[in-house]
Amino acid sequence: MTARIGVVTFPGTLDDRDTQRAIGIAGAEAVPLWHRDKDLKQVDAVVLPGGFSYGDYLRAGAISRFSPVMGTLIEQARAGMPVLGICNGFQVLCEAHLLPGAMLRNTGLHFVCRDQKLRVETADTAWTSDYAPGQQISIPLKNIDGRYTADERTLDELEAEGRVAFRYSDVNPNGSLRDIAGITNAAGNIVGLMPHPEHAVESLIGTGGTDGLAFFTSVIKKLVNA
């Protein structure tokens, strides 16, 4: 069985091709999905990649949430389909209420682009099972609206239920509350994070590291073993 993983392109998406490439390197078939598609083309999982969908007009991810593809995706995600949102994709998942919280402009109001150390908080998700809790990884970060925020009750629930998937390590680059870099839903099939694992899957290009590859191998193993 070859897993089929869809990659959605919105107007303004930047990292769809890199995400497709990462999926191929991990061993699955990448299936391009256009934002106007209502049919998910029988994919087994979906990635919402980074960029500036619809120019981030109004608010990052706010317009994309109403794209035709999102209607089907929200339905399938709530039924258990694995969905990963990277950077702008994480913002879209929050706007679609598939994940709690919201993204604000970075502390200092500057675009941040750097290699970022993360600590893996949980391996109990469809996208993190090839990591170990407490593992330190380094993958690229690039955003201006990456400051994760939520009310204290939501933050406490995320902590108590083990739904903080990743925290920033060494330095908090954007002022995210409780150093949160990524979270998961209660079922563990939906994950959102601000850094970009698709840019850290080959030793010869990018950062020269492959710490991001486990996102894609994790979900492939889950799909093959389902």
PDB file of all heavy atoms in Angstrom, residues 10 48-49 53 56 60-66 70 73-74 85 87-99 103:
ATOM      1  N   PHE A  10      -3.574  27.167  -1.584  1.00  0.00           N
ATOM      2  CA  PHE A  10      -4.443  28.344  -1.607  1.00  0.00           C
ATOM      3  C   PHE A  10      -3.741  29.427  -2.428  1.00  0.00           C
ATOM      4  O   PHE A  10      -2.516  29.375  -2.615  1.00  0.00           O
ATOM      5  CB  PHE A  10      -4.669  28.884  -0.194  1.00  0.00           C
ATOM      6  CG  PHE A  10      -5.310  27.922   0.764  1.00  0.00           C
ATOM      7  CD1 PHE A  10      -4.539  27.190   1.655  1.00  0.00           C
ATOM      8  CD2 PHE A  10      -6.683  27.759   0.792  1.00  0.00           C
ATOM      9  CE1 PHE A  10      -5.129  26.310   2.551  1.00  0.00           C
ATOM     10  CE2 PHE A  10      -7.286  26.881   1.681  1.00  0.00           C
ATOM     11  CZ  PHE A  10      -6.503  26.156   2.565  1.00  0.00           C
ATOM     12  N   LEU A  48      -1.780  21.115   5.217  1.00  0.00           N
ATOM     13  CA  LEU A  48      -1.982  22.516   4.857  1.00  0.00           C
ATOM     14  C   LEU A  48      -0.625  23.198   5.019  1.00  0.00           C
ATOM     15  O   LEU A  48      -0.154  23.375   6.143  1.00  0.00           O
ATOM     16  CB  LEU A  48      -3.022  23.171   5.770  1.00  0.00           C
ATOM     17  CG  LEU A  48      -4.409  22.546   5.790  1.00  0.00           C
ATOM     18  CD1 LEU A  48      -5.313  23.298   6.776  1.00  0.00           C
ATOM     19  CD2 LEU A  48      -5.028  22.563   4.405  1.00  0.00           C
ATOM     20  N   PRO A  49       0.028  23.556   3.919  1.00  0.00           N
ATOM     21  CA  PRO A  49       1.401  24.077   4.006  1.00  0.00           C
ATOM     22  C   PRO A  49       1.453  25.564   4.350  1.00  0.00           C
ATOM     23  O   PRO A  49       0.431  26.231   4.477  1.00  0.00           O
ATOM     24  CB  PRO A  49       1.941  23.811   2.597  1.00  0.00           C
ATOM     25  CG  PRO A  49       0.739  23.880   1.720  1.00  0.00           C
ATOM     26  CD  PRO A  49      -0.425  23.387   2.541  1.00  0.00           C
ATOM     27  N   SER A  53      -1.814  32.614   2.605  1.00  0.00           N
ATOM     28  CA  SER A  53      -3.036  32.333   1.859  1.00  0.00           C
ATOM     29  C   SER A  53      -3.930  33.563   1.769  1.00  0.00           C
ATOM     30  O   SER A  53      -4.175  34.238   2.767  1.00  0.00           O
ATOM     31  CB  SER A  53      -3.791  31.174   2.519  1.00  0.00           C
ATOM     32  OG  SER A  53      -4.086  31.457   3.862  1.00  0.00           O
ATOM     33  N   ASP A  56      -3.073  36.774   3.410  1.00  0.00           N
ATOM     34  CA  ASP A  56      -3.321  37.000   4.847  1.00  0.00           C
ATOM     35  C   ASP A  56      -4.139  38.262   5.080  1.00  0.00           C
ATOM     36  O   ASP A  56      -4.052  38.875   6.157  1.00  0.00           O
ATOM     37  CB  ASP A  56      -2.010  37.055   5.643  1.00  0.00           C
ATOM     38  CG  ASP A  56      -1.500  35.656   5.993  1.00  0.00           C
ATOM     39  OD1 ASP A  56      -2.222  34.677   5.720  1.00  0.00           O
ATOM     40  OD2 ASP A  56      -0.390  35.563   6.535  1.00  0.00           O
ATOM     41  N   ALA A  60      -4.481  36.239   9.263  1.00  0.00           N
ATOM     42  CA  ALA A  60      -3.834  35.051   8.709  1.00  0.00           C
ATOM     43  C   ALA A  60      -4.745  33.830   8.811  1.00  0.00           C
ATOM     44  O   ALA A  60      -5.161  33.439   9.902  1.00  0.00           O
ATOM     45  CB  ALA A  60      -2.518  34.782   9.445  1.00  0.00           C
ATOM     46  N   GLY A  61      -5.063  33.245   7.665  1.00  0.00           N
ATOM     47  CA  GLY A  61      -5.869  32.027   7.627  1.00  0.00           C
ATOM     48  C   GLY A  61      -7.367  32.254   7.673  1.00  0.00           C
ATOM     49  O   GLY A  61      -8.138  31.307   7.502  1.00  0.00           O
ATOM     50  N   ALA A  62      -7.797  33.489   7.884  1.00  0.00           N
ATOM     51  CA  ALA A  62      -9.228  33.751   8.106  1.00  0.00           C
ATOM     52  C   ALA A  62     -10.056  33.538   6.845  1.00  0.00           C
ATOM     53  O   ALA A  62     -11.192  33.071   6.917  1.00  0.00           O
ATOM     54  CB  ALA A  62      -9.428  35.168   8.638  1.00  0.00           C
ATOM     55  N   ILE A  63      -9.521  33.888   5.680  1.00  0.00           N
ATOM     56  CA  ILE A  63     -10.284  33.733   4.439  1.00  0.00           C
ATOM     57  C   ILE A  63     -10.194  32.283   3.955  1.00  0.00           C
ATOM     58  O   ILE A  63     -11.185  31.716   3.482  1.00  0.00           O
ATOM     59  CB  ILE A  63      -9.758  34.706   3.371  1.00  0.00           C
ATOM     60  CG1 ILE A  63      -9.942  36.151   3.857  1.00  0.00           C
ATOM     61  CG2 ILE A  63     -10.477  34.497   2.031  1.00  0.00           C
ATOM     62  CD1 ILE A  63      -9.365  37.205   2.915  1.00  0.00           C
ATOM     63  N   SER A  64      -9.020  31.674   4.086  1.00  0.00           N
ATOM     64  CA  SER A  64      -8.833  30.287   3.635  1.00  0.00           C
ATOM     65  C   SER A  64      -9.806  29.335   4.307  1.00  0.00           C
ATOM     66  O   SER A  64     -10.240  28.352   3.705  1.00  0.00           O
ATOM     67  CB  SER A  64      -7.404  29.822   3.942  1.00  0.00           C
ATOM     68  OG  SER A  64      -6.467  30.677   3.378  1.00  0.00           O
ATOM     69  N   ARG A  65     -10.141  29.646   5.526  1.00  0.00           N
ATOM     70  CA  ARG A  65     -11.029  28.757   6.274  1.00  0.00           C
ATOM     71  C   ARG A  65     -12.351  28.516   5.527  1.00  0.00           C
ATOM     72  O   ARG A  65     -13.006  27.493   5.717  1.00  0.00           O
ATOM     73  CB  ARG A  65     -11.279  29.372   7.663  1.00  0.00           C
ATOM     74  CG  ARG A  65     -12.242  28.597   8.536  1.00  0.00           C
ATOM     75  CD  ARG A  65     -13.602  29.243   8.548  1.00  0.00           C
ATOM     76  NE  ARG A  65     -14.545  28.480   9.345  1.00  0.00           N
ATOM     77  CZ  ARG A  65     -15.274  27.484   8.852  1.00  0.00           C
ATOM     78  NH1 ARG A  65     -15.098  27.094   7.611  1.00  0.00           N
ATOM     79  NH2 ARG A  65     -16.171  26.883   9.619  1.00  0.00           N
ATOM     80  N   PHE A  66     -12.730  29.469   4.645  1.00  0.00           N
ATOM     81  CA  PHE A  66     -14.003  29.361   3.934  1.00  0.00           C
ATOM     82  C   PHE A  66     -13.840  28.838   2.504  1.00  0.00           C
ATOM     83  O   PHE A  66     -14.794  28.839   1.731  1.00  0.00           O
ATOM     84  CB  PHE A  66     -14.707  30.727   3.924  1.00  0.00           C
ATOM     85  CG  PHE A  66     -15.108  31.190   5.299  1.00  0.00           C
ATOM     86  CD1 PHE A  66     -14.346  32.118   5.985  1.00  0.00           C
ATOM     87  CD2 PHE A  66     -16.228  30.655   5.921  1.00  0.00           C
ATOM     88  CE1 PHE A  66     -14.701  32.535   7.266  1.00  0.00           C
ATOM     89  CE2 PHE A  66     -16.593  31.061   7.201  1.00  0.00           C
ATOM     90  CZ  PHE A  66     -15.826  32.005   7.880  1.00  0.00           C
ATOM     91  N   MET A  70     -12.035  23.327   2.348  1.00  0.00           N
ATOM     92  CA  MET A  70     -12.060  23.236   3.803  1.00  0.00           C
ATOM     93  C   MET A  70     -13.345  22.598   4.317  1.00  0.00           C
ATOM     94  O   MET A  70     -13.350  21.976   5.377  1.00  0.00           O
ATOM     95  CB  MET A  70     -11.869  24.628   4.419  1.00  0.00           C
ATOM     96  CG  MET A  70     -10.467  25.188   4.260  1.00  0.00           C
ATOM     97  SD  MET A  70      -9.192  24.130   5.004  1.00  0.00           S
ATOM     98  CE  MET A  70      -9.660  24.179   6.744  1.00  0.00           C
ATOM     99  N   LEU A  73     -12.604  18.978   4.120  1.00  0.00           N
ATOM    100  CA  LEU A  73     -11.479  18.667   5.013  1.00  0.00           C
ATOM    101  C   LEU A  73     -11.910  18.699   6.482  1.00  0.00           C
ATOM    102  O   LEU A  73     -11.536  17.822   7.271  1.00  0.00           O
ATOM    103  CB  LEU A  73     -10.347  19.666   4.772  1.00  0.00           C
ATOM    104  CG  LEU A  73      -9.024  19.356   5.486  1.00  0.00           C
ATOM    105  CD1 LEU A  73      -7.852  19.827   4.644  1.00  0.00           C
ATOM    106  CD2 LEU A  73      -8.961  20.016   6.851  1.00  0.00           C
ATOM    107  N   ILE A  74     -12.691  19.698   6.858  1.00  0.00           N
ATOM    108  CA  ILE A  74     -13.149  19.788   8.252  1.00  0.00           C
ATOM    109  C   ILE A  74     -13.976  18.562   8.615  1.00  0.00           C
ATOM    110  O   ILE A  74     -13.808  17.971   9.682  1.00  0.00           O
ATOM    111  CB  ILE A  74     -13.955  21.096   8.456  1.00  0.00           C
ATOM    112  CG1 ILE A  74     -13.023  22.308   8.390  1.00  0.00           C
ATOM    113  CG2 ILE A  74     -14.698  21.070   9.786  1.00  0.00           C
ATOM    114  CD1 ILE A  74     -13.739  23.638   8.353  1.00  0.00           C
ATOM    115  N   GLY A  85      -1.101  20.999   9.874  1.00  0.00           N
ATOM    116  CA  GLY A  85      -1.030  22.399   9.449  1.00  0.00           C
ATOM    117  C   GLY A  85       0.310  22.983   9.813  1.00  0.00           C
ATOM    118  O   GLY A  85       0.707  22.972  10.988  1.00  0.00           O
ATOM    119  N   CYS A  87       2.687  26.315   9.854  1.00  0.00           N
ATOM    120  CA  CYS A  87       2.750  27.772   9.787  1.00  0.00           C
ATOM    121  C   CYS A  87       1.395  28.355   9.364  1.00  0.00           C
ATOM    122  O   CYS A  87       0.461  28.364  10.151  1.00  0.00           O
ATOM    123  CB  CYS A  87       3.888  28.191   8.840  1.00  0.00           C
ATOM    124  SG  CYS A  87       4.342  29.937   9.000  1.00  0.00           S
ATOM    125  N   ASN A  88       1.255  28.826   8.134  1.00  0.00           N
ATOM    126  CA  ASN A  88      -0.030  29.348   7.689  1.00  0.00           C
ATOM    127  C   ASN A  88      -1.112  28.274   7.797  1.00  0.00           C
ATOM    128  O   ASN A  88      -2.279  28.568   8.098  1.00  0.00           O
ATOM    129  CB  ASN A  88       0.078  29.854   6.252  1.00  0.00           C
ATOM    130  CG  ASN A  88      -1.090  30.737   5.836  1.00  0.00           C
ATOM    131  OD1 ASN A  88      -1.563  30.661   4.713  1.00  0.00           O
ATOM    132  ND2 ASN A  88      -1.579  31.587   6.724  1.00  0.00           N
ATOM    133  N   GLY A  89      -0.728  27.023   7.591  1.00  0.00           N
ATOM    134  CA  GLY A  89      -1.674  25.927   7.750  1.00  0.00           C
ATOM    135  C   GLY A  89      -2.150  25.793   9.193  1.00  0.00           C
ATOM    136  O   GLY A  89      -3.317  25.468   9.453  1.00  0.00           O
ATOM    137  N   PHE A  90      -1.257  26.023  10.149  1.00  0.00           N
ATOM    138  CA  PHE A  90      -1.630  26.027  11.572  1.00  0.00           C
ATOM    139  C   PHE A  90      -2.629  27.154  11.828  1.00  0.00           C
ATOM    140  O   PHE A  90      -3.638  26.975  12.520  1.00  0.00           O
ATOM    141  CB  PHE A  90      -0.362  26.211  12.407  1.00  0.00           C
ATOM    142  CG  PHE A  90      -0.531  26.067  13.898  1.00  0.00           C
ATOM    143  CD1 PHE A  90      -1.720  25.640  14.478  1.00  0.00           C
ATOM    144  CD2 PHE A  90       0.539  26.356  14.746  1.00  0.00           C
ATOM    145  CE1 PHE A  90      -1.852  25.513  15.859  1.00  0.00           C
ATOM    146  CE2 PHE A  90       0.421  26.225  16.125  1.00  0.00           C
ATOM    147  CZ  PHE A  90      -0.776  25.816  16.670  1.00  0.00           C
ATOM    148  N   GLN A  91      -2.370  28.315  11.245  1.00  0.00           N
ATOM    149  CA  GLN A  91      -3.299  29.440  11.401  1.00  0.00           C
ATOM    150  C   GLN A  91      -4.674  29.094  10.829  1.00  0.00           C
ATOM    151  O   GLN A  91      -5.708  29.428  11.415  1.00  0.00           O
ATOM    152  CB  GLN A  91      -2.707  30.678  10.703  1.00  0.00           C
ATOM    153  CG  GLN A  91      -1.422  31.176  11.341  1.00  0.00           C
ATOM    154  CD  GLN A  91      -0.575  32.027  10.407  1.00  0.00           C
ATOM    155  OE1 GLN A  91      -0.810  32.070   9.205  1.00  0.00           O
ATOM    156  NE2 GLN A  91       0.410  32.714  10.969  1.00  0.00           N
ATOM    157  N   VAL A  92      -4.700  28.408   9.680  1.00  0.00           N
ATOM    158  CA  VAL A  92      -5.977  28.015   9.073  1.00  0.00           C
ATOM    159  C   VAL A  92      -6.724  27.041   9.985  1.00  0.00           C
ATOM    160  O   VAL A  92      -7.944  27.145  10.164  1.00  0.00           O
ATOM    161  CB  VAL A  92      -5.741  27.384   7.683  1.00  0.00           C
ATOM    162  CG1 VAL A  92      -7.050  26.841   7.108  1.00  0.00           C
ATOM    163  CG2 VAL A  92      -5.137  28.394   6.720  1.00  0.00           C
ATOM    164  N   LEU A  93      -6.005  26.073  10.577  1.00  0.00           N
ATOM    165  CA  LEU A  93      -6.653  25.110  11.474  1.00  0.00           C
ATOM    166  C   LEU A  93      -7.260  25.791  12.693  1.00  0.00           C
ATOM    167  O   LEU A  93      -8.328  25.387  13.166  1.00  0.00           O
ATOM    168  CB  LEU A  93      -5.639  24.052  11.918  1.00  0.00           C
ATOM    169  CG  LEU A  93      -5.150  23.087  10.837  1.00  0.00           C
ATOM    170  CD1 LEU A  93      -4.099  22.135  11.403  1.00  0.00           C
ATOM    171  CD2 LEU A  93      -6.307  22.290  10.252  1.00  0.00           C
ATOM    172  N   CYS A  94      -6.598  26.822  13.206  1.00  0.00           N
ATOM    173  CA  CYS A  94      -7.164  27.572  14.332  1.00  0.00           C
ATOM    174  C   CYS A  94      -8.403  28.353  13.884  1.00  0.00           C
ATOM    175  O   CYS A  94      -9.422  28.372  14.589  1.00  0.00           O
ATOM    176  CB  CYS A  94      -6.119  28.524  14.915  1.00  0.00           C
ATOM    177  SG  CYS A  94      -4.754  27.711  15.786  1.00  0.00           S
ATOM    178  N   GLU A  95      -8.310  28.971  12.716  1.00  0.00           N
ATOM    179  CA  GLU A  95      -9.460  29.725  12.211  1.00  0.00           C
ATOM    180  C   GLU A  95     -10.650  28.806  11.934  1.00  0.00           C
ATOM    181  O   GLU A  95     -11.804  29.217  12.058  1.00  0.00           O
ATOM    182  CB  GLU A  95      -9.081  30.485  10.937  1.00  0.00           C
ATOM    183  CG  GLU A  95      -8.110  31.630  11.154  1.00  0.00           C
ATOM    184  CD  GLU A  95      -8.757  32.821  11.857  1.00  0.00           C
ATOM    185  OE1 GLU A  95      -9.989  32.925  11.830  1.00  0.00           O
ATOM    186  OE2 GLU A  95      -8.001  33.640  12.430  1.00  0.00           O
ATOM    187  N   ALA A  96     -10.375  27.558  11.560  1.00  0.00           N
ATOM    188  CA  ALA A  96     -11.434  26.591  11.270  1.00  0.00           C
ATOM    189  C   ALA A  96     -11.944  25.913  12.542  1.00  0.00           C
ATOM    190  O   ALA A  96     -12.841  25.063  12.474  1.00  0.00           O
ATOM    191  CB  ALA A  96     -10.919  25.530  10.302  1.00  0.00           C
ATOM    192  N   HIS A  97     -11.372  26.254  13.686  1.00  0.00           N
ATOM    193  CA  HIS A  97     -11.741  25.684  14.984  1.00  0.00           C
ATOM    194  C   HIS A  97     -11.488  24.179  15.066  1.00  0.00           C
ATOM    195  O   HIS A  97     -12.131  23.485  15.855  1.00  0.00           O
ATOM    196  CB  HIS A  97     -13.206  25.990  15.307  1.00  0.00           C
ATOM    197  CG  HIS A  97     -13.537  27.454  15.307  1.00  0.00           C
ATOM    198  ND1 HIS A  97     -12.976  28.354  16.192  1.00  0.00           N
ATOM    199  CD2 HIS A  97     -14.346  28.182  14.490  1.00  0.00           C
ATOM    200  CE1 HIS A  97     -13.437  29.564  15.943  1.00  0.00           C
ATOM    201  NE2 HIS A  97     -14.253  29.492  14.906  1.00  0.00           N
ATOM    202  N   LEU A  98     -10.552  23.703  14.249  1.00  0.00           N
ATOM    203  CA  LEU A  98     -10.107  22.320  14.404  1.00  0.00           C
ATOM    204  C   LEU A  98      -9.058  22.234  15.512  1.00  0.00           C
ATOM    205  O   LEU A  98      -8.811  21.157  16.054  1.00  0.00           O
ATOM    206  CB  LEU A  98      -9.531  21.796  13.085  1.00  0.00           C
ATOM    207  CG  LEU A  98     -10.570  21.533  11.985  1.00  0.00           C
ATOM    208  CD1 LEU A  98      -9.884  21.175  10.680  1.00  0.00           C
ATOM    209  CD2 LEU A  98     -11.548  20.429  12.391  1.00  0.00           C
ATOM    210  N   LEU A  99      -8.388  23.337  15.786  1.00  0.00           N
ATOM    211  CA  LEU A  99      -7.468  23.464  16.912  1.00  0.00           C
ATOM    212  C   LEU A  99      -7.820  24.737  17.671  1.00  0.00           C
ATOM    213  O   LEU A  99      -8.257  25.716  17.057  1.00  0.00           O
ATOM    214  CB  LEU A  99      -6.013  23.520  16.436  1.00  0.00           C
ATOM    215  CG  LEU A  99      -5.450  22.242  15.811  1.00  0.00           C
ATOM    216  CD1 LEU A  99      -4.057  22.493  15.246  1.00  0.00           C
ATOM    217  CD2 LEU A  99      -5.404  21.082  16.825  1.00  0.00           C
ATOM    218  N   MET A 103      -3.310  32.999  16.452  1.00  0.00           N
ATOM    219  CA  MET A 103      -1.959  33.517  16.238  1.00  0.00           C
ATOM    220  C   MET A 103      -1.987  35.044  16.177  1.00  0.00           C
ATOM    221  O   MET A 103      -2.763  35.621  15.430  1.00  0.00           O
ATOM    222  CB  MET A 103      -1.373  32.989  14.925  1.00  0.00           C
ATOM    223  CG  MET A 103      -1.231  31.497  14.875  1.00  0.00           C
ATOM    224  SD  MET A 103      -0.074  30.871  16.097  1.00  0.00           S
ATOM    225  CE  MET A 103      -0.426  29.130  15.921  1.00  0.00           C
TER     226      MET A 103
END
